[in-house]
Amino acid sequence: MTARQTVMLLVAVVLYFPSLAHSFQPLIFNENSITHRQITERAVLRKTAEVCRDFAASAGQDFSLVIDNSLSAGKVQRACSSVGTSTLLSTAIFQTSIAQMYFANAKVDVEFILSDTHHFVDEAFQGGRDLITEGVSYVKASVKLENFAAGRWTLGQICHPLQDFYSHSNWVEMGNTVPYSTLIRPDQPFENLAGPDTPTCRNCINGNCDDNLLPELQQQGLLTTGYFSFFSRSKPAGKCSHGGSFDQTSKQDPVGGINKDDVTSDHGSLHRKAANLAVDATMELLEDIRVAVGDKNFLRLMGLSQSTVLCFVIDTTGSMSDDIAEAKRVSFEIIDSKRGTMQEPSAYILVPFNDPGFGPLMKTTNADIFKDSINKLTASGGGDIPELCLSGLQLALTAAPPSSEIFVFTDAPAKDAHLKSTITALIESTKSVVTFMLTDVLPSRRRRRDIGGAPSRSMSQSDAQLYRDLAQASGGQAIEVTKSDLSLATSVIEDSSASAVVTVFQVGRNPGKPDSFTFTVDDSLRDMTAYITGASSLTFNLTNSSGVSQSSSQSSGPLASFTTAGNLRRLRLNTDNQTGLWEISVNSNNPYSVKVIGQSSVNFIYNLVEAHVGAHGDFSLKEGRPLSGGNSSLMVSVTGSDTVKVTEVTLFDSSGPTEVNGSLQELGGGNFLVRFSNVPAGEFVVRLRGQDNSSTSRSTTSSFQRQASTQIKTSSISITAQANNTNIEPGSTISIPFTVATMTNGVVNDTATGTLTVRANNDRSYASTSPSTVTVAAGSGGKANGTVTLTVPASAASGTDVTLTIEAENAAATDINYAVLRFSVAAKVTDINRPGCQVVNTSASCPFSSSLCASFHWEFIANLTDGINGTGIERITIRKGNGTFNTSTAVGAGGENVTVATYSASCCSQDVELAAVDKVGNVGTCVGQARAVTTAALATKASAVNTTSTGGHSLSISRFLCISVVVSLLWK
């Protein structure tokens, strides 16, 4: 069987038997069972809380949060935020980041369903650890490059085999209560592994597998795992099986299995012990990453942030001087007003574009670097009118965190309009909002010619429509103003930079027609703003819940004050003490949009998931568009409130009357599984409604609604792609087979024929090949296959992420679907050794009495090295201790570089822990500890050493404590 046939077989298995996953259940739990989602979430919350606790301790602040498995994202976010309880806090970014990790974890059960190394079966110890080692190396490298989203995805993936080990091995059965640290320490050898010819199990008796592990295995402390195969009963003689109805090896002697995936498994009585150890092991992995990248970067990796990024994509051609100046002004104002506050942007992204170039992308957490970069932008050149706007936007979409807001400044049409479907796919995949600041759009569709017949920089209406379509798909706006009025429109950028911004309602009408829209104002909402875009002839009327009205002829009235800039009306709503149902009536026959936002801690996040049938009956992340006429499911998480009761989740057609109600299944902790049946063709957004039972001064029960910004569009095309590896070495090429199918009501139409257009794009502009079309032929079962290749240049840095989008479009160009694949550029791991530590000298003279400790000091000196073949020590930090720390460099006897660490502290601080990190993130820890000796030893030492003769009398300094410093290298 060829490699391609093998991959396609795996794709077929995933499609038709997606629940064959042999692991902890991925996302949705059965009663009393714990899933990969819960294990990952618990570990992340606990480790994040520990980092915040340590920050608080170093600052002398209290940290009262109890760190256990009952933590929620809201509790951790609040405890980590040094703000008052009245400040609005949003956990949406934090919860989205955690979701990235557990969805990546669950995806392993789909992408690598039959891989023994990804699930620690078939005694694949070395292969499983190699996966973890490679993944950890990439996570650390990605953090260096500030590719946090890519790092989270890989981190989630490697957590899967690490967690599976505790369910699929006999580690728990051997009575171990701590993690098997060798799995994340590649420089340590495996010990006490059962040999390939060593029997490990005996038959289960009458379905009872409690005692199927051989006693001699336990007595010798030998480690084993179960074997698994969907296709064959074959396994080495005497070996344990994984077990379960889909494991064919469990039907071969010795029958039965040893997995602890859930409480109904063969060793299900140990399920909770295995799951708890998996939590501890995940925390141990996170601690290693934390030390390697530093606490601040670790918290960014976990997504603990109150603010979004500030992201600009700016046209830099000759006519854009005024626009660039305005982008500078508004960004500087945001930076200067929010610096040092909870609302300070978590990162800054800048992408310039023109023609023939775009980029480079600049991403930083340093506001001054961003200021300097945007200051250096100059408007020059121009040549032909269209510019590479969408290429620049593609860079921003893949570099920015999910759910970011991106602002594009341009006065020219897009030369790369062919990227529209790719940009749409990335918008839908990342749920980012894109707002276009378009200057000097022509009021009619006349040709772009000025009076003298030369080309004009002004955009026609048809040119601008591309930007309007992308804005609508993302939930953003296409704001069309003159250059002189641009400063009036950029207030929307300042609005979006506020904390805890939520979308309450959004709708678009194209073609336009007079209509009325209602939205609910709840107790938690503050600083509400409405945006109405449309032709200058548009009028509107605003009515509150008490029946008070205000028309568009009143720029300031009882309900709002508003300003107009180009096609934008910005209304600042007066909602104080006016909760309930409000209405906006719009009178226009031209296209228009309405959007209502506010600030509130109550929000929600959602992800499309696809159902599995069979043993686990679980779900995994759905990439691409849902199928027209088929069933769809969402995982929805409410953020910011423990008192919210969700009553309704719908798919709402924002441009028409269609609305599809979902059935709710509560999963606990504010999480819901929402199922939709027979979703029709169309474009939808997710709308959530419910009741907040928290008591306030205005009411005791408040109705609320929230709406997602990004559209969900259905498709009658299915495209699935499967790579056999998500890590690519620099200079290598990977092949990605894909399958396209024509669907009817969510089912493959096996009689369909026809040709579909195929496009493959990646955000790094790496070389790739793909077919331009695929043909669904008669007798093919309604499907067609193809292959995309992607080549990573040898110069690509480890830690770089690559997003590949494969699109399939029907012959009429009326329907399209896509698959989005994420790849990690990961150089081969060659340095697995951690820095070593050797004590050089210790000196101490500390008093026995703690009341005198501040007057005396002790010193600790150690040599730290990464060896001759290592990558070299990058930094050394104090993990514990309050002393003074200095380093110098030297050359060792063997020619290796040596870092000499000198630490001194008062005798009130008698412990030190140094962490040495090499250039690829290996961590070695050097510990010095002041230890008291016995009173007798003290007296002897004082008499022999610390005696001073004064006029014939002996002065015994018996009240002094001698310090012995114990140095050890802890491999963490």
Side-chain angles (χ1 to χ4, degrees), residues 894-908:
E896 72 276 15
N897 292 323
V898 176
T899 300
V900 181
T902 303
Y903 174 86
S904 62
S906 79
C907 289
C908 300

Side-chain angles (χ1 to χ4, degrees), residues 672-711:
F672 299 84
L673 177 66
V674 189
R675 294 180 172 92
F676 301 91
S677 300
N678 303 317
V679 180
E683 299 172 346
F684 303 92
V685 291
V686 182
R687 185 172 64 192
L688 181 145
R689 288 174 170 159
Q691 301 287 331
D692 190 348
N693 297 317
S694 60
S695 178
T696 70
S697 60
R698 288 188 274 179
S699 65
T700 56
T701 301
S702 175
S703 297
F704 77 96
Q705 74 176 65
R706 298 289 184 269
Q707 186 171 311
S709 296
T710 311
Q711 286 184 345

Side-chain angles (χ1 to χ4, degrees), residues 48-66:
T48 302
E50 286 183 3
V51 175
C52 293
R53 178 197 62 198
D54 294 346
F55 265 127
S58 64
Q61 299 172 347
D62 292 333
F63 188 89
S64 58
L65 184 68
V66 176

Side-chain angles (χ1 to χ4, degrees), residues 6 17 93 103 159 178 310 362 443 449 722 753 755 837 858 970:
T6 301
F17 301 97
I93 297 174
F103 276 119
C159 282
V178 295
L310 185 63
M362 191 285 302
R449 297 283 173 179
Q722 182 72 44
T753 60
T755 299
C837 170
W858 64 287
L970 302 182

Side-chain angles (χ1 to χ4, degrees), residues 242-291:
H242 173 82
S245 58
F246 287 104
D247 178 17
Q248 299 304 308
T249 74
S250 67
K251 301 175 177 61
Q252 176 74 35
D253 285 345
V255 299
I258 64 169
N259 87 82
K260 298 161 280 293
D261 290 345
D262 60 41
V263 293
T264 65
S265 300
D266 291 326
H267 282 199
S269 62
L270 297 173
H271 167 73
R272 287 194 167 273
K273 287 185 178 180
N276 288 334
L277 265 181
V279 172
D280 293 340
T282 306
M283 290 182 64
E284 184 180 47
L285 174 67
L286 294 175
E287 177 66 16
D288 177 79
I289 294 171
R290 169 196 177 181
V291 176

